[in-house]
Amino acid sequence: MVISEKFKETRMNGATVGFTDDDGEGEYDIKDVPHAMRLSTSGTFIHGNYWGAKSIFGNANTSHGCVGLADTKGADDPNTPGAWFYDNSLIGDVVVVQNTGDKTIAPDNGLNGWNMDWAQWKAGSAI
């Protein structure tokens, strides 16, 4: 996937991507998600996570599809994995997510056309 936007801090609400409870409210609503970088139009991000137990990273699937990095609330601690990744990433950087058991992201879901094979790329050409 490709980083298309960066936010030092942003709000994430499950209702915006179809994760709702019985009342139609978002399954989650976090107003201060630190170091968020958009990976898809459909709402996949790589972002800091201060609310999860530190032992989950790399060991447990506790996400609705995002990639979480250990971080602190407020996005002000430069010594966290979330801050480091944010500070050392640029819009346009490719993020490879492995071993999820999921399929490759669709080329039209964000800036992900790079993962098309050459025949698909040529078939969509204007020339």
Side-chain angles (χ1 to χ4, degrees), residues 46-68:
I46 185 166
H47 62 78
N49 179 324
Y50 62 83
W51 55 91
K54 301 302 177 224
S55 61
I56 65 167
F57 298 108
N59 295 304
N61 181 5
T62 60
S63 172
H64 285 83
C66 291
V67 177

Side-chain angles (χ1 to χ4, degrees), residues 8 32-37 45-60 62 66-87:
K8 184 170 181 185
D32 52 5
V33 177
H35 302 114
M37 293 157 280
F45 280 76
I46 185 166
H47 62 78
N49 179 324
Y50 62 83
W51 55 91
K54 301 302 177 224
S55 61
I56 65 167
F57 298 108
N59 295 304
T62 60
C66 291
V67 177
L69 302 168
D71 212 328
T72 55
K73 189 172 184 175
D76 292 324
D77 184 350
N79 300 310
T80 65
W84 184 92
F85 196 87
Y86 182 88
D87 290 342

Side-chain angles (χ1 to χ4, degrees), residues 1-125:
M1 292 181 263
V2 177
I3 296 172
S4 60
E5 291 183 284
K6 290 177 64 174
F7 306 95
K8 184 170 181 185
E9 198 171 64
T10 194
R11 179 179 182 180
M12 292 189 176
N13 184 306
T16 64
V17 290
F19 292 112
T20 57
D21 60 19
D22 293 337
D23 297 325
E25 300 292 323
E27 286 183 15
Y28 57 88
D29 187 5
I30 306 166
K31 67 178 181 173
D32 52 5
V33 177
H35 302 114
M37 293 157 280
R38 180 182 292 278
L39 298 175
S40 75
T41 307
S42 61
T44 306
F45 280 76
I46 185 166
H47 62 78
N49 179 324
Y50 62 83
W51 55 91
K54 301 302 177 224
S55 61
I56 65 167
F57 298 108
N59 295 304
N61 181 5
T62 60
S63 172
H64 285 83
C66 291
V67 177
L69 302 168
D71 212 328
T72 55
K73 189 172 184 175
D76 292 324
D77 184 350
N79 300 310
T80 65
W84 184 92
F85 196 87
Y86 182 88
D87 290 342
N88 289 281
S89 298
L90 301 171
I91 291 174
D93 282 351
V94 174
V95 176
V96 178
V97 179
Q98 297 179 315
N99 302 319
T100 67
D102 208 352
K103 59 187 177 210
T104 301
I105 192 165
D108 61 350
N109 190 356
L111 301 177
N112 297 303
W114 67 273
N115 61 19
M116 297 170 73
D117 64 38
W118 182 241
Q120 288 176 302
W121 183 263
K122 286 194 318 185
S125 174

